[in-house]
Amino acid sequence: METTATAPGRASTKAVPPAPDMLVPATSTLDPFAAELRFTSAHRAHRDAHPALREAACLAVQLPETLAPIEDGDLVAGRLAPRLCGFTPDEWGADISLGYHVLPRLVDEALTTGAVSAERRAEVEEMLAYWRRERTAALVRAAYPPALAEDLPSDAWMGEPGIAFPLYRLCGGTVHNARLVGLGLPGLRDEVAARRARGGVDLDLLAGFDQALDLLEEAARRYQDQALRLAASAGPARRTELEAMAETLGLVCERAPESYREAVQLFWLYQLCGDIRNYGRLDVTLGPLLAHDLDAGVLSDDEALRLTQSLWRLMAARLTRVHNRVVVGGVGRPDPAAADRFALLAIEASRTVLEAEPQLSLRLHAGQDPLLLERGLDAIGAGRTFPILYNDDVNVPAAAAAMGVGLEEAEQYVPYGCGELVLEGRSFATPSGVINLLKALEAALFHGECQRTGRRLGPDLGGLETYRTFDELWTAYAGQVDHLVRRLAEQERLEYDVCAREFSALYLSLLYDGCLERGRAFHDGGLELLAGTLETYGNTNTADSLLAIRRLVFERAEVPAEDLLAALRTDFAGAEPLRGLLLAQPKYGNDDDEADEMLVRVHEHVCEQARAQAARVGLASYLVVVINNSANTLMGAHTGASADGRHDGTPMANGNAPTGGADTCGLTARMNSVVRPSPAIHAGAVQNLSLSRELFRDRRDVVEALLSVYFARGGSQLMVTVTGRGELEAALAHPDEYRHVFVRVGGFSARFVDLPEDVQREIVERTLY
Amino acid sequence: MEGTVFDVQRFAVHDGPGIRTTVFLKGCPLRCGWCHNAESWHRRPQLAVRTGLCPGCEECRDATPGATARLPHRSRCPALRVIGRVTTAGAVIEEVLRDRDYYAASGGGLTLSGGEPLTQPAFTESLLRLAGEAGVNTCLDTSGFASEQTVLRMVGLVDLWLYDVKATGEQDHRSLTGVGPGRILANLERLLVLGERVRLRVPLLPGVNDTHEHLQHVAAIAARHPELDGVDVFPYHSWGVAKAAEVGATLPYADLPSVTPEAASDLVSRLHRLGCTRAQLG
């Protein structure tokens, strides 16, 4: 049995092999479908139960199977095994997964590779048929009203040409882990009991909470037993470690954590049981007990680092690729001194644990201990791509404005996933849609049709040859975008509603503000700030294309519309001079007002259009995120040649970065451009910056000045890859020798040689300063 | 005030302290056989032809590399490019000032390079003056080959002179750069007497100008003038060869390979051994 743990819709074009340490529990090895069939039976048996109780019943089957054994070297207990079907409140697996899900491709794989009896095969087929109907994503799709189904006909955003696609997932849950550590299991149980005592509440939901806490305790006890069993046969050093682990596991069942070790253990088990993949402000959660233990001499610096490194390796083993966010630093922390001690430890762990995850994110603000940034830059300079830098001075007011909350509340912003912002424990905003703006422009140029296939993308609002002015083209482009943004917002609301009928997301709801008090699941009226986000792609290419068209077709009448359309259709075959002319037009990323203003116009249009949907569909906010992953490459593959000179099927620019190679005026010019789009109207945008190893090593003063000015001028975030172009080219040629090279792809860090070759080539071609 | 500029490079970190914008002025009286900006030699805008880029449109078939007449206003052929544009000092400074925050944070500023900026003295003076008025630090990257009067015009406007010492001895200097060293060395001495801040830049080509005599000369200047800001060694790289061909210029040392990092360190070490301990790689 084999599965991948990459996020749905984020899979690379080749399957990511499971890490060797993701061992399948013994029962599943003997009978590869036993766990899945039991899970399916539980789901079926509780079909008419309250969503909270059904979820708890399913988790009671799932957790013992998917919490994988302690492995050699682990100092903290808790690993996840792969599964072929199950429940997640977040997202799981390489295929679409939401809530109750199955991974059909992997089931097929297991059926073809394993020795499966005919009888068992029939059961599995029946199971698949059941999940085809009952998986949550299918229920969401089935609930589409006709208009929604018509405008969003396909879910295959990676495999088909289209402007907009829905994504089926609830991701980015980032709970109040400080509350978890403060209360511990007994305290949380007391809170549920107290709520029950006050009355007027959905008792089934509370029963679900109780069961979830029981399951967590059972998991801790199972790991405790395992640790003791392993200790009995271990050498002296390992025995000490395992005995400490066992003792800790016992303690977390009995009391609120009183040590760093207990806090880490409870935190980690809770995240695994709840399938929570983004951890929020871990310095707030773990800092106070870390400081206490270090000061009291209970824990040495070295022990603290080793524990943290172990936690980091366990996070990496989840292979989420785009999640595993740990946030440190920033304003709004109750005990900054203690939190900073954890932050420094976290940076050291990220510097020394050579994995692509967790995604350590460092929030910066004026008045912060400069050591945090200094150490952070050391790790970045070592080629780790972490920490990702966030500028509180910009992000706090921007998040407040975008999300419509007060400044104090906005201080609790945390990035999750590829860089979407939410408020820790206070808001939820999964990205449930993608829109390819460049494809929308294509539709506006070609009468609503795909220029590659002739397939209908949107309404026929005209074609380039019919527009008399640039404004008419703009109106048609905006028309293609607007109606799909409206649909995607409706889809997002619908997805929450269907999910609320299906499950209560017990572990999330228990640690989200207001849910216990209101006695509602987070997506069922429990969370005040239930929001949504929309991923936009192709922003830069769209802006550069629009500008080229405005200048050449409308302002100067230098290129007839028909010529341009023909050149785009044929991917510039025989039209290289025209392509040269298109490439020579001003491009975003060069501190050129005309180009930057067009990008801002494209950005503001889609951001405002999204924002306007929130009230209409009943979300606290609905905001664009300009994140990236490999979607620019994957969606670019289905996008025709564009008027910025981009060839058919080639990658679009990454996030809201300039097109690779088009930023020819120097790094400062690029930095000046990328601070132009307002961060106060969206929920996160990412900036990748590749700096040469030599610059970082020899001119650290220059790098620091560069960053300080970028942030002072309004830069909200920055991800820095430090590498050499020669090193990347060598890695392309000799992948086996360059497994230590990590790069930032946009929304995540990856081992360079693990990326698909087209993405590798794109990265090599990005401007490196 | 108008002048001819052929490139503006922002985030320049090797042409003086901090983060800088380097403005490259067109025109140079020297003909250094290793020049990495041979497209800067001619004072006027020129046609560069990169035949490899021609898609077969024939527009470039009759084009003369380096031509200064009948330049295409806007060519559609990617093989044709005009090097150099006539612009005003005000427009250049406007672009330079877009990065003033970066200069302030890093101790950087404006660097004028070329070509030889002193071949456009009025434009150079104007740029320096405007930068100075805006509080922007200035560097002038020069061969020093100009009249004393021209050099003196810039005194007080340049925060740091980046001053080339290319060869030693009348004959060597003339054969390698096309001009004699007399005026260059006199100007250097004059600037130092006037208390100007100067940093030496020493381009070194193994087997060409890395003679013992030349290195000794560089070391002697450094020893005589402890007030020098520093001595930067620039080992040869061959990146300029292709650009030269595009404007029809030939470089005698075109076949010389770029200096390896090891050989570069060795050149610096030789200067150190001659007592010039301030020499470092630029």
Side-chain angles (χ1 to χ4, degrees), chain A residues 123-137:
Chain A
E123 286 174 328
V124 172
E125 297 293 349
E126 199 279 329
M127 176 185 89
L128 278 177
Y130 176 78
W131 285 119
R132 267 194 289 276
R133 292 189 312 275
E134 292 295 326
R135 63 194 177 94
T136 310

Side-chain angles (χ1 to χ4, degrees), chain A residues 558 591 593 668 672 699, chain B residues 10 13 74 76 98-99:
Chain A
E558 195 174 336
D591 202 8
D593 286 340
T668 49
N672 287 348
R699 304 296 300 273
Chain B
R10 290 161 72 170
V13 293
R74 191 184 300 130
R76 280 193 170 204
R98 292 182 88 112
D99 284 349

Side-chain angles (χ1 to χ4, degrees), chain A residues 224-239:
Chain A
Q224 186 184 20
D225 289 347
Q226 197 211 342
L228 288 172
R229 275 200 313 279
L230 290 172
S233 57
R238 182 61 179 152
R239 186 183 308 145

Side-chain angles (χ1 to χ4, degrees), chain A residues 556 558-559 576-577 581 590-591 593 665-669 671-672 676 695 699 702 705-706 708-710 713 769, chain B residues 8-11 13-14 16-19 21 55 57 74-78 95 97-102 105-106:
Chain A
R556 299 190 195 157
E558 195 174 336
V559 176
E576 270 305 316
L581 192 58
N590 292 300
D591 202 8
D593 286 340
C665 289
L667 183 52
T668 49
M671 300 296 244
N672 287 348
R676 297 280 293 262
L695 182 72
R699 304 296 300 273
V702 160
L706 183 75
S708 74
V709 175
Y710 166 70
R713 292 184 77 137
Y769 293 94
Chain B
V8 175
Q9 282 180 7
R10 290 161 72 170
F11 194 65
V13 293
H14 299 289
I19 296 171
T21 295
C57 62
R74 191 184 300 130
S75 171
R76 280 193 170 204
C77 177
E95 181 174 356
L97 289 182
R98 292 182 88 112
D99 284 349
R100 63 188 312 164
D101 295 352
Y102 292 98
S106 66

Side-chain angles (χ1 to χ4, degrees), chain A residues 351-516:
Chain A
R351 192 181 69 81
T352 50
V353 176
L354 301 185
E355 298 284 354
E357 305 179 58
Q359 303 198 80
L360 182 66
S361 305
L362 173 60
R363 285 176 48 174
L364 304 167
H365 67 94
Q368 184 158 284
D369 181 352
L371 194 58
L372 266 63
L373 179 58
E374 195 184 315
R375 292 283 160 78
L377 291 178
D378 290 344
I380 291 169
R384 297 290 301 119
T385 76
F386 298 117
I388 304 163
L389 304 175
Y390 282 84
N391 179 10
D392 275 12
D393 299 334
V394 167
N395 289 323
V396 171
M403 298 178 190
V405 299
L407 283 174
E408 200 178 325
E409 206 168 1
E411 286 181 349
Q412 300 309 324
Y413 84 87
V414 283
Y416 75 82
C418 298
E420 303 91 329
L421 305 185
V422 285
L423 305 177
E424 182 183 81
R426 291 164 171 82
S427 80
F428 191 98
T430 187
S432 280
V434 292
I435 186 162
N436 177 351
L437 300 178
L438 191 58
K439 201 72 187 170
L441 177 59
E442 194 178 305
L445 296 177
F446 290 93
H447 294 271
E449 288 178 356
C450 172
Q451 79 188 47
R452 316 173 89 221
T453 62
R455 176 178 168 154
R456 179 137 305 278
L457 299 169
D460 180 0
L461 303 176
L464 182 60
E465 77 288 357
T466 69
Y467 307 130
R468 283 160 304 171
T469 62
F470 176 76
D471 284 347
E472 287 185 11
L473 166 62
W474 175 269
T475 303
Y477 157 75
Q480 298 289 353
V481 171
D482 292 352
H483 98 107
L484 287 169
V485 169
R486 284 195 290 273
R487 290 294 186 234
L488 288 168
E490 292 162 15
Q491 193 274 348
E492 174 121 20
R493 178 71 243 187
L494 179 73
E495 186 174 69
Y496 283 130
D497 293 342
V498 173
C499 287
R501 292 199 290 273
E502 289 296 301
F503 55 84
S504 299
L506 294 165
Y507 291 101
L508 285 178
S509 295
L510 192 51
L511 288 185
Y512 260 118
D513 280 8
C515 295
L516 182 59

